[in-house]
Amino acid sequence: MRSSTAPARTRSGARSGARPARGLAAVAACVLLAAGCAKAGTAGTAAADGAGSRSPVKVGLVYSKTGPLAAYGKQYLEGFKAGLSYATRGTGTVDGHRIEVEEQDDAGDPAKAVSAAKDLIGKGHKILAGSTASGVALQVGPIAAQNKVLFISGPAAADKVTGLNTYTFRSGRQSYQDIRTAASFIGDAKGRKVTVLAQDNAFGQANVAAVKGVLGAQGATVDAVLAPPSATDLTPFATQARSAKPDLLFVAWAGDTSAALWTALNQQDVFADTKVVTGLDLAASYPLFGPAGEKISFLNHYFGGAAGTPVEKAMDEAVTAAGGKSDIFTPDGFTAAQMIVHAVEANHGSADDTAALVKALEGWSFDGVKGRTTVRAEDHALLQPMFQVRLTGSGAAAKPSVEKTLTADEAAPPVTPMAG
């Protein structure tokens, strides 16, 4: 499916401090204008000469429009459109070059994502973005490196995306940042027993590795209960988690079986015997916790209204005006658009030189939705604030509130040597 992302909403005056981030997705090769026929402009402004003839910047989004993570993909896309409008001041242009977006649906399937990425690269795209699922990002990243195109992963949280290669970045958080936030709930981990309950996929395995890397390194004993992603009867896995008798049960789960998981944990009365920490998912999941929700310690990447920043306000206004509602992965799309615009603007509206796009993003610090955000130069980790959250009420009345904000430094993962 092809869509031209021409933002309908202008966010003049909504920027704060540093210029918003830009970079994510795939930008097609731009034909350089003949010497002397154009004057450099700035994002959202047309250059004085020849703007009408300037070639477009083509951005390819490969994300989960359908499939088990379609709700996350929708949030990402809504955030991306809002971010592109914000970063280009509502014009959809950078130095007179229009940003054109081509969407391709991977349905959460790495094979489909690889096929879509190759198709976009074959059409001349120099920037790829999206990757709702970790398994997808880990397959698309190497394709980007092989073809020397910029790739900015989205909600995919697997730690291995960080430092994967020179051409791969991310616009969301990673599992290690989740675990650092979870660790902040229990203080001294020495001598404690921790069990990870997760799906046996890239996302789940990354969480197990991250818990071992953080809490294991602090002296905790860490084991895991892993369920096949296709499992629908989750009672056996909830029973295993209860039988492990951990001091802390860390639950890492995503997708359509979340309701079944929390039902099983409730039925097995796990909450009565152990401290449960999990990530607060999208707003539609809040009722699934029921009365137990008030007993859970939630780590959180984002929920609507969590940050209280001017950039968050701009994002929320744009998403609301378009008929959406800001949620957990809306900032990932918004940040991706900020990164794209920054990288392209730093190269005067051209995406021809991928190395230059990479250089523009490495070490870049900017005002993001969640606050001050930095693309770490050494491994392309996205350093950002994280939240401790509580739910109050149950069912449709469940509401999140921030208990504590961890700074970007407090939640930062260790530097990962660049693999390629």
Side-chain angles (χ1 to χ4, degrees):
M1 176 178 179
R2 186 178 182 85
S3 67
S4 178
T5 304
R9 183 172 177 82
T10 300
R11 288 299 313 154
S12 59
R15 297 174 145 198
S16 64
R19 299 184 67 88
R22 341 133 189 194
L24 157 41
V27 176
C30 298
V31 179
L32 295 176
L33 296 176
C37 79
K39 188 191 304 182
T42 60
T45 63
D49 302 316
S53 63
R54 292 189 173 188
S55 57
V57 174
K58 296 179 180 179
V59 175
L61 299 185
V62 183
Y63 73 106
S64 292
K65 182 176 182 179
T66 62
L69 302 181
Y72 301 151
K74 180 176 183 292
Q75 295 165 21
Y76 173 89
L77 182 63
E78 289 173 344
F80 184 86
K81 291 179 178 179
L84 186 58
S85 178
Y86 176 83
T88 64
R89 299 186 180 93
T91 68
T93 64
V94 178
D95 269 329
H97 297 262
R98 188 155 197 81
I99 304 290
E100 292 185 355
V101 180
E102 180 174 349
E103 300 170 28
Q104 294 211 22
D105 179 16
D106 61 31
D109 182 344
K112 290 182 179 179
V114 167
S115 178
K118 289 180 176 179
D119 177 60
L120 290 165
I121 292 169
K123 294 176 181 177
H125 288 69
K126 292 291 183 71
I127 304 175
L128 301 177
S131 292
T132 317
S134 292
V136 167
L138 292 172
Q139 292 294 317
V140 174
I143 297 297
Q146 291 166 15
N147 292 276
K148 297 184 179 180
V149 301
L150 180 66
F151 170 51
I152 305 176
S153 179
D159 287 314
K160 290 182 180 179
V161 174
T162 295
L164 185 63
N165 57 61
T166 302
Y167 298 92
T168 297
F169 292 78
R170 66 191 325 146
S171 64
R173 99 298 185 203
Q174 64 186 80
S175 294
Y176 200 102
Q177 289 163 314
D178 286 345
I179 308 309
R180 284 291 292 267
T181 308
S184 69
F185 283 106
I186 64 171
D188 187 3
K190 187 175 182 179
R192 307 289 289 276
K193 182 177 181 181
V194 179
T195 296
V196 182
L197 175 58
Q199 293 149 309
D200 193 4
N201 56 17
F203 173 70
Q205 292 162 6
N207 274 274
V208 173
V211 171
K212 289 181 177 179
V214 178
L215 297 179
Q218 295 175 5
T221 299
V222 180
D223 61 14
V225 175
L226 297 176
S230 60
T232 54
D233 179 8
L234 300 175
T235 299
F237 307 101
T239 301
Q240 290 178 48
R242 183 193 62 189
S243 299
K245 298 181 179 180
D247 297 303
L248 172 68
L249 177 66
F250 179 79
V251 181
W253 209 269
D256 293 341
T257 56
S258 294
L261 173 71
W262 293 109
T263 297
L265 289 172
N266 278 318
Q267 289 173 343
Q268 296 302 310
D269 204 22
V270 173
F271 303 103
D273 300 323
T274 190
K275 185 178 184 67
V276 178
V277 175
T278 193
L280 187 64
D281 203 351
L282 72 175
S285 73
Y286 300 169
L288 303 179
F289 299 106
E294 293 187 331
K295 303 174 185 178
I296 300 171
S297 297
F298 291 99
L299 64 94
N300 182 242
H301 166 47
Y302 178 78
F303 68 83
T309 66
V311 181
E312 178 188 45
K313 181 180 179 182
M315 178 188 77
D316 190 57
E317 289 179 354
V319 170
T320 300
K325 187 174 182 180
S326 297
D327 211 327
I328 182 170
F329 292 126
T330 314
D332 295 28
F334 192 97
T335 300
Q338 285 183 292
M339 292 173 71
I340 289 172
V341 174
H342 172 74
V344 174
E345 184 180 19
N347 289 280
H348 309 293
S350 172
D352 282 341
D353 187 347
T354 308
L357 298 177
V358 168
K359 183 178 179 181
L361 290 175
E362 288 182 333
W364 186 47
S365 187
F366 59 98
D367 290 328
V369 172
K370 295 165 61 178
R372 198 66 181 170
T373 303
T374 300
V375 179
R376 191 162 61 193
E378 293 89 342
D379 59 2
H380 303 174
L382 191 68
L383 307 184
Q384 60 196 289
M386 296 287 289
F387 307 105
Q388 286 186 359
V389 174
R390 289 283 180 182
L391 275 184
T392 55
S394 61
K399 300 293 182 185
S401 60
V402 174
E403 295 269 297
K404 178 182 178 181
T405 299
L406 276 70
T407 66
D409 287 342
E410 288 175 327
V415 174
T416 302
M418 191 68 74

